[in-house]
Amino acid sequence: MEETYWYGLIGGVLIGAASVLALWATSKIPGISGIFAKALNPRDGDFKWRIAFLAGMILSAAILFLISDRADTYRIPEGRGWIAYAIAGLLVGFGTRCGGGCTSGHGVCGVGLGARDSIIATIVFMVAGMVTVYLFKMIGGAA
Amino acid sequence: MRVILLSLLAGCLFGAGLTLSGMTDPQRVVDFLDITGDWDPTLMFVMGGALAVFFGSRLILRKNNPAFCNATEPVSKSLIIGAAIFGIGWGLGGICPGPGISNLGALRTEALIFVPTMAIGMVLARVFLGRDT
């Protein structure tokens, strides 16, 4: 098995452990889109732990980017400029709130809890992502 | 205070997992979604590892903790439409909310565009759909 896949598996184990720890500590499904969305509202009583979680995500990533070339690998797919990222941000923000979760909330926690709605959401966003990449490749000539 | 410190620790673990697994690299995510090209299965290993830990922990913890019990909700039209819109954005940029936020740790230009526009998208969902933000 390729080394990259092992790192994927190890990273996945860390993500799973983080999700279990956060769910255990807060009794809230720790989806990143939900944590971020609700952290936008400072009146929320859970504001502080949400900010702490997000700060941790940025802090550990910042350290690993500095000390690990593997973690620091960062390539922008061909044909994606800043306009593409602005549109992507709008769609991801709107879509995750409309659909009630993202890759972590539905994909890891929801599927891990055996929730039927999360399994369906995960299939839908994966297929939508694949179709988008395919169409982008057809139109722009690059993936 | 305990909940805040545990959340900080969980966030650190999450960010470490995302970066070490290569999920903060948009090309790797797009290569996973590019099933007609040179397919990269790494994302499957990431989800597999995360699900194995989550599912295993759940089997132990659900006896004493209702948060780990099945919490499925009815499948609604907005769930399907929202997931599809999210998937289109994900395929466009190769970034979902977690990697977008962790990439702020290196002040990447795309993350600095993606995260604020994501916040705007969430506010729009609150205004038009009444979803909580």
Side-chain angles (χ1 to χ4, degrees), chain A residues 72-78 85, chain B residues 22 24-29 31 40 93:
Chain A
D72 199 37
T73 304
Y74 185 76
R75 299 160 297 165
I76 293 301
E78 216 177 325
Y85 279 92
Chain B
T24 45
D25 176 11
Q27 182 71 59
R28 191 170 290 289
V29 174
D31 284 347
D40 180 337

Coordinates of all heavy atoms in Angstrom, one line a residue, chain A residues 72-78 85, chain B residues 22 24-29 31 40 93:
Chain A
D72 N 2.4 20.1 4.5 CA 2.4 21.4 3.8 C 2.2 21.3 2.3 O 2.1 22.4 1.7 CB 3.8 22.1 4.1 CG 3.8 23.6 3.8 OD1 2.8 24.2 4.2 OD2 4.8 24.1 3.3
T73 N 2.0 20.1 1.8 CA 1.7 20.0 0.4 C 0.4 20.7 0.0 O -0.6 20.5 0.6 CB 1.6 18.5 0.0 OG1 2.8 17.9 0.3 CG2 1.4 18.4 -1.5
Y74 N 0.5 21.6 -0.9 CA -0.7 22.4 -1.2 C -0.7 22.8 -2.7 O 0.2 23.5 -3.2 CB -0.6 23.7 -0.4 CG -1.9 24.6 -0.5 CD1 -3.1 24.3 0.1 CD2 -1.8 25.8 -1.3 CE1 -4.2 25.1 -0.1 CE2 -2.9 26.6 -1.4 CZ -4.1 26.3 -0.8 OH -5.2 27.1 -0.9
R75 N -1.6 22.2 -3.5 CA -1.6 22.5 -4.9 C -3.0 22.9 -5.3 O -4.0 22.3 -4.9 CB -1.2 21.2 -5.7 CG 0.2 20.7 -5.4 CD 0.3 19.2 -5.8 NE -0.6 18.4 -5.0 CZ -0.9 17.1 -5.2 NH1 -0.4 16.5 -6.3 NH2 -1.7 16.5 -4.5
I76 N -3.1 24.0 -6.1 CA -4.4 24.4 -6.5 C -4.7 23.8 -7.9 O -3.9 23.9 -8.8 CB -4.4 26.0 -6.7 CG1 -4.3 26.7 -5.3 CG2 -5.7 26.5 -7.4 CD1 -5.4 26.3 -4.4
P77 N -5.8 23.1 -8.0 CA -6.1 22.4 -9.3 C -6.2 23.4 -10.4 O -6.6 24.5 -10.2 CB -7.5 21.8 -9.0 CG -7.6 21.7 -7.5 CD -6.9 22.9 -7.0
E78 N -5.8 22.9 -11.6 CA -5.7 23.8 -12.8 C -7.0 24.5 -13.0 O -8.1 23.9 -12.9 CB -5.3 22.9 -14.0 CG -4.4 23.6 -14.9 CD -4.0 22.7 -16.1 OE1 -3.8 21.4 -15.8 OE2 -3.9 23.1 -17.2
Y85 N -12.9 30.2 -6.1 CA -12.9 30.0 -4.7 C -14.0 30.8 -4.0 O -14.5 30.4 -2.9 CB -11.5 30.2 -4.1 CG -10.7 28.9 -4.3 CD1 -9.9 28.7 -5.4 CD2 -10.9 27.8 -3.5 CE1 -9.3 27.5 -5.7 CE2 -10.3 26.6 -3.7 CZ -9.5 26.5 -4.8 OH -8.9 25.3 -5.1
Chain B
G22 N -3.3 14.8 4.1 CA -3.3 15.5 2.8 C -4.6 16.1 2.4 O -4.7 16.5 1.2
T24 N -5.8 18.9 3.3 CA -5.7 20.4 3.1 C -5.1 20.7 1.7 O -4.8 21.9 1.4 CB -4.8 21.0 4.2 OG1 -3.7 20.2 4.4 CG2 -5.6 21.1 5.5
D25 N -4.8 19.7 0.9 CA -4.3 19.9 -0.4 C -5.4 19.7 -1.4 O -5.9 18.6 -1.7 CB -3.2 18.8 -0.7 CG -2.7 18.8 -2.1 OD1 -2.9 19.8 -2.8 OD2 -1.9 17.9 -2.5
P26 N -5.9 20.9 -2.0 CA -7.1 20.8 -2.8 C -6.9 19.8 -4.0 O -7.9 19.2 -4.4 CB -7.2 22.3 -3.3 CG -6.6 23.1 -2.3 CD -5.4 22.2 -1.8
Q27 N -5.7 19.7 -4.6 CA -5.5 18.8 -5.7 C -5.8 17.4 -5.3 O -6.4 16.6 -6.1 CB -4.1 19.0 -6.2 CG -3.8 18.1 -7.5 CD -4.5 18.6 -8.7 OE1 -4.2 19.8 -9.1 NE2 -5.3 17.8 -9.3
R28 N -5.4 17.0 -4.1 CA -5.7 15.6 -3.7 C -7.2 15.3 -3.6 O -7.6 14.2 -3.9 CB -4.9 15.3 -2.4 CG -4.9 13.9 -2.0 CD -4.0 13.6 -0.8 NE -2.6 13.7 -1.1 CZ -1.9 12.9 -1.9 NH1 -2.5 11.8 -2.5 NH2 -0.6 13.1 -2.1
V29 N -7.9 16.3 -3.1 CA -9.4 16.1 -3.0 C -10.0 16.0 -4.4 O -10.9 15.2 -4.6 CB -10.0 17.3 -2.1 CG1 -11.5 17.2 -2.1 CG2 -9.4 17.2 -0.7
D31 N -8.6 15.1 -7.1 CA -8.1 13.8 -7.7 C -9.0 12.7 -7.2 O -9.2 11.7 -7.9 CB -6.7 13.5 -7.4 CG -5.7 14.4 -8.2 OD1 -6.2 15.0 -9.2 OD2 -4.5 14.4 -7.9
D40 N -7.4 9.1 -7.1 CA -6.6 9.0 -5.9 C -7.5 8.7 -4.7 O -8.4 9.4 -4.3 CB -6.0 10.4 -5.6 CG -5.1 10.4 -4.4 OD1 -5.3 9.6 -3.5 OD2 -4.2 11.3 -4.3
G93 N -13.8 23.8 -5.8 CA -12.6 24.3 -5.1 C -11.7 23.2 -4.6 O -10.5 23.4 -4.3

